[in-house]
Amino acid sequence: MTKGRETICRALDIHKTYWRGKVAVQALRGVTLEIRTNDYVSIMGASGSGKSTLIHILSCLDTPTKGEYFLEDKLVSSYTDAELAGARNMFFGFVFQSFSLLPRLTAIDNVALPLVYAGVKKRDRNQRSAEILKKIGLGDRINHRPNEMSGGECQRVAIARALVNTPKVIFADEPTGNLDSKTGSEIMEIFDRIVEEGNTVVMVTHDSNVASHAKKIVSLKDGLIDGE
Amino acid sequence: MVNDVLNKISLSVQTFRTHRLRSFLTALGIIIGVSTVIAILSLIEGLNRSVAEQIQSIGSDLVFLSKSPIVLAGPQNIEEIANRPDLTPDDALAISELPSVEIAIPDISQRLNKLKYRDKEIANVRIRGTTEKFSSVNNRFIESGRDFTKDDVTHRRSVCAIGSYVAKNLFPDESPVGKELNVRGHRIKIIGVHREKGAFLGQSMDNMLVIPYTFYEKIYPSRGESVFERAFFGYSIDIKPKKGQVERVTDEVRELMRRRHRLPFDKKDDFELGTQQMLMEIYQNITRVGFIAIVAIAAISLVVGGIGIMNIMLVSVAERTREIGIRKAVGASNQNILSQFLVESVFLALVGGVIGILLGLLLAWLISIVSPLKASVSFWMVLLGFGFSAAVGIFFGIYPARRAAGLNPIEALRYE
Ligand SMILES: Nc1ncnc2c1ncn2[C@@H]1O[C@H](COP(=O)(O)OP(=O)(O)O)[C@@H](O)[C@H]1O
Ligand SMILES: [Mg+2]
């Protein structure tokens, strides 16, 4: 592990229990993890091992049942709703397996969405979003809607959206899971480049080819880390 | 901040556009409610105005003495009223001698089904027998010709002053002054035309012939002997008090009339005294019923409209669960989502409100064209319509909006 890099996220003994009626499902059973600037982490594990649950908690989309999670030394459980929303907005970008774009918005408006909630003016929003779309190779798709684009293009729009507000960590939950292998490797190249530019990426996958891009692999089994 | 609100409004417009029919149907409750209220309010306001104008044009606080009550309140014994002594011009004379009275005139009238002049004909003309002081009691002015005089009254001259409606409709192209009308076989010479008075409670005050009461008695030697005719077809007396003496007038007239009718102290009055104040009160009671009806209509339709909005907003929240999840995932706070949905429901309600206001104005306008009612629109009604629909939007939008805001982003994203 490279020393001297700043710690962004620190998760201590994180548990997450879901309730299905009266049956408790222990998705996480005590995970401890640190993410530092410019990390490129891959979280691997079988389906149902708790990978998604873990990065949802890391990205403040969900809260742990037990355990402590610090964002730059601040305890997340003390955050108000507005602070959590702020963290999702400015600290993190998230790329979902299913793209999760708003179907009625154009590519540029989808990318600009985090900036809307960051209170950026429309002109700046458009300028920044257009720039990043160009960089990611979608300069000619700016005014297309999701149903007018291929899966790979949609995922690139989603990556642009995750990057637009210059977050400290970009999370991706099986970003290539819905794509054919060629498109998938194109997407992986984008992630590699993002990390080269100094960004921090945490990616969930169950594909070891995909995971091999990362500098660090965390493998999960039944809600516990069984290898790094 | 302004930016933010504009954003949300434009989002609402988008949603409205995508679901045009659905949104319109949802707004229908509000549209119906607001338009009914606006239409009725402006008609009542129009009525109020013309009544107020009328009362102002009569000018003073008149006191009316009559044999029968102005409005029959509840079951009253018509037989008893019919058996009361008739009021007479002599009574008017005696009343005019009272210290608090400025003028008192006898006033008797009938409705003529038809009145003809050559090939022209009008209906429902009121023929009114009174004295030369009629114009000053009622603030009427002669526009052309002259009023009849005391002399005309004493000599039972067959002369009349006509209202402007009669003049306009029977004599569209010529001066009526000097022409003769025929009423029940009597020829009456027109000597003057009254200035236009307008309508009172939808009735034209200009469709009228004013003649000396002495001559009226010649045209109608008896008023008929049926109970109804005896009860309602006699003289009444219009009294104009001296300045500030309305209260005293009623007391003095009551005392005088009881004496003239030789009523023992333990018997009730056998006449009715009314003031313009009382007329106003009766009128206000009628409009109050209208107001209560409006409040009820408004309340019901706004509640129905509001429930419609709540329903459609709940559907909308369910349909857009994924969208809410996505927005939250990229940084929308509960507050952001709440206000977005609230702006949307208020927008929906306001669209209904605006359409309702326009429709209501149109309705009032149509009614005032096809009926004698007048509509009068004030700015406060428009504001009221606006305010009410906004309030409905907020009140019924808050629950769906809170439901949207409270969604867990992960569960919302998983929703299909
Ligand atoms: N909302 C939920 N309610 C109940 N159980 C859940 C919920 N989300 C996840 N789980 C369960 O938690 C475990 C971990 O799920 P997840 O983190 O999605 O795994 P992975 O992403 O590794 O496939 C699984 O057994 C899953 O069924
Ligand atoms: Mg998963």
Side-chain angles (χ1 to χ4, degrees), chain A residues 1 11 17 20 32 42 47 51 61 66 72 88 116 120 123 125 136-137 147 153-154 156 161 167 188 193 197 223:
Chain A
M1 233 188 274
T17 310
R20 273 194 201 125
T32 296
S42 205
S47 178
K51 309 180 293 292
L61 280 168
K66 201 184 125 199
E72 294 187 331
R88 294 195 288 266
V116 170
V120 177
R123 209 152 48 91
R125 290 203 303 259
I136 219 159
N147 63 2
E153 286 169 332
C154 284
R156 279 192 278 173
R161 180 179 67 188
M188 287 316 297
R193 209 171 70 217
E197 285 167 2

Side-chain angles (χ1 to χ4, degrees), chain A residues 18-20 25 27 46-54, chain B residues 411 414:
Chain A
Y18 292 110
W19 289 92
R20 273 194 201 125
V25 181
S47 178
S49 57
K51 309 180 293 292
S52 294
T53 305
L54 177 60
Chain B
E411 275 164 32
R414 197 175 286 144

Side-chain angles (χ1 to χ4, degrees), chain B residues 21 243 270:
Chain B
L21 181 63
K243 254 205 153 62
D270 56 2

Side-chain angles (χ1 to χ4, degrees), chain A residues 18 56 61-62 81-82 85-86 88-89 96 98 100-102 104-105 113-114 116-117 120-122 125 161, chain B residues 3 7 14-15 18 320 322-323 326-337 340 408-410 413-414:
Chain A
Y18 292 110
H56 289 158
L61 280 168
D62 211 349
D81 159 70
R88 294 195 288 266
N89 187 233
F96 299 92
S98 57
S100 292
L101 300 176
L102 290 184
R104 282 193 279 132
L105 299 189
L113 203 56
V116 170
Y117 294 109
V120 177
K121 284 210 190 78
K122 184 160 179 117
R125 290 203 303 259
R161 180 179 67 188
Chain B
N3 207 348
N7 246 323
Q14 268 175 31
T15 321
T18 1
R320 287 154 69 189
R322 264 187 75 79
E323 173 186 334
I326 292 169
R327 287 181 183 274
K328 284 196 145 187
V330 302
S333 63
N334 291 355
Q335 190 60 45
N336 289 138
I337 301 291
Q340 183 189 329
N408 172 304
I410 289 305
L413 278 167
R414 197 175 286 144

Side-chain angles (χ1 to χ4, degrees), chain A residues 16 21 28 53 71 73 82 125-126 133 156 202 216-217 227:
Chain A
K16 180 74 182 182
L28 295 176
T53 305
L71 272 188
D73 294 329
R125 290 203 303 259
N126 285 345
L133 276 171
R156 279 192 278 173
V202 177
K216 178 173 138 186
I217 296 175

